[in-house]
Each structure stands twice: as C-alpha cells, then as structure tokens.
Amino acid sequence: MSSSVAGPDCCGGLGNIDFRQADLCVMTWLLGYVDPSDPHFVVAVLTITFNPLFWNVVARWEQKTRKLSRAFGSPYLACYVLGGAILLLNVLRSHCFTEAMRSQPRVDSLDSPAVHGLGLALLAAGSVLVLSSFFALGFTGTFLGDYFGILKEARVTTFPFNILDNPMYWGSTANYLGWALMPFTAEIYRQKSSQLRRS
C-alpha cells in the first residue's frame, strides 16, 4: 500500500474504476420518479442547502467577531433578528419544497390510505419533536443563542432531549418525509371527490 499526502491508495484508487461499466439501473429507476431538471426541484434543493449553510456561517462569524451583537446593541436583539431571518428562510424553503413536490412525477404505489396514514403519523411525530424542542430551548436556545453568548444554566435534558440528541432535526426530517408522502395521497382523494361529483 502506498501512502501520499491524500492518504493510502487502496486498490489503485478511483483511477482504476471504469465508469462505463457501472450498472446505472438504480439511478435510471430513480430518475423515473425525480426530475432534476425541473426548476422547482432545483430551487428546492438550493434552499434546502443554503438555509443551514447561511445560519451556521452567520452564527460562527458572530461567535468569532460579535459584530451582530455590537451592530444591534445587544446579543439578544441580534439573536432575535437572526432567528427571524431563519424563520423567513424556512417559510421560503417549505414553499419551494411544496412546489417541487407538486411538480415531480407521482409514484402510483404510494397512492394509498396506508401511505396517507403514515404521512400523517410522521407529521404528528415530527411536530411533537419540533415543538417540544422549541419549548424546552426557548427562542434563543433554538435559534443559535449559544453563538451569541446566550447560554442556558445547564444543558437541557428534559423531553425530547432525554430520548434523542437532536430532536429538532429528527422532527424536521419526519415532517418533510411525512409532507412528501401527503401530495401522493392528496391526488387520490381529489380524484375520488371528482368522481363522486360526476355520479
């Protein structure tokens, strides 16, 4: 095994892979359900990527420089302003996600009452995790107050932090997954309602 600055070169590294021989059937199958060229999809991916990048860069910049705290005259006010910006960005992200879901191809096998129920259950569980996290942390705890020097007296260990390390992230993930399942079943009920009106 040879060693270089980048690390060991196992089995010849990626240079020995002939990508022309790769089996792309999984990717081809996936692209039947996702249209990455759809502008709504592209914008959703950009907002999903940009939002956490933005607030983490701003929070870390604040921690190093304290410039937002000085500009707003208070670390609390600066944290509230960043929290407001994060909330507005999340509204935009949710809107873009919804538009992307509406414009993507439908998966017929997901059009069932069971999937609808699973989507509702994920939304309910995710909402419980997100809301209980917010109530346990408060506004400044939720919106990066620790980077502004606003700390709790002790680490929060009450529900939901006593069952998960990152309940707000898990809750948000459950919400988006549940939400992604809902448009598929919404079409079933729209069609059923349309058929009943015709009868």
Side-chain angles (χ1 to χ4, degrees):
M1 182 175 356
S2 66
S3 182
S4 66
V5 175
D9 187 14
C10 176
C11 309
L14 295 176
N16 278 347
I17 297 174
D18 184 359
F19 290 101
R20 293 171 297 180
Q21 295 180 5
D23 183 7
L24 300 177
C25 66
V26 173
M27 188 55 111
T28 303
W29 173 80
L30 182 62
L31 287 175
Y33 296 107
V34 177
D35 179 8
S37 65
D38 173 40
H40 294 294
F41 179 82
V42 172
V43 171
V45 168
L46 289 174
T47 59
I48 289 166
T49 305
F50 173 78
N51 287 6
L53 179 66
F54 166 77
W55 70 64
N56 279 294
V57 167
V58 171
R60 289 183 179 160
W61 175 72
E62 167 61 17
Q63 184 182 29
K64 288 181 181 179
T65 66
R66 297 287 184 231
K67 288 191 176 186
L68 286 176
S69 294
R70 284 195 294 272
F72 287 100
S74 158
Y76 284 91
L77 182 56
C79 183
Y80 292 138
V81 169
L82 178 61
I86 291 170
L87 286 170
L88 290 174
L89 285 170
N90 286 342
V91 168
L92 176 63
R93 176 183 63 188
S94 295
H95 170 74
C96 292
F97 179 83
T98 301
E99 292 303 311
M101 291 302 304
R102 287 183 180 153
S103 67
Q104 289 297 303
R106 303 271 184 233
V107 179
D108 292 335
S109 62
L110 293 179
D111 285 339
S112 74
V115 173
H116 183 77
L118 177 61
L120 287 174
L122 285 167
L123 282 169
S127 295
V128 166
L129 290 173
V130 168
L131 291 172
S132 60
S133 297
F134 179 80
F135 291 131
L137 293 172
F139 191 91
T140 57
T142 299
F143 294 106
L144 307 166
D146 48 343
Y147 288 91
F148 291 82
I150 305 167
L151 302 174
K152 296 275 189 195
E153 290 182 27
R155 184 177 175 174
V156 176
T157 57
T158 58
F159 181 81
F161 293 93
N162 60 350
I163 59 168
L164 291 168
D165 280 339
N166 299 297
M168 192 163 287
Y169 292 125
W170 286 109
S172 293
T173 301
N175 281 339
Y176 279 103
L177 182 56
W179 200 352
L181 296 174
M182 300 306 289
F184 297 113
T185 56
E187 183 62 26
I188 291 175
Y189 293 102
R190 211 174 7 261
Q191 288 174 0
K192 182 179 179 180
S193 175
S194 176
Q195 289 172 352
L196 288 174
R197 279 183 278 185
R198 287 185 210 149
S199 302

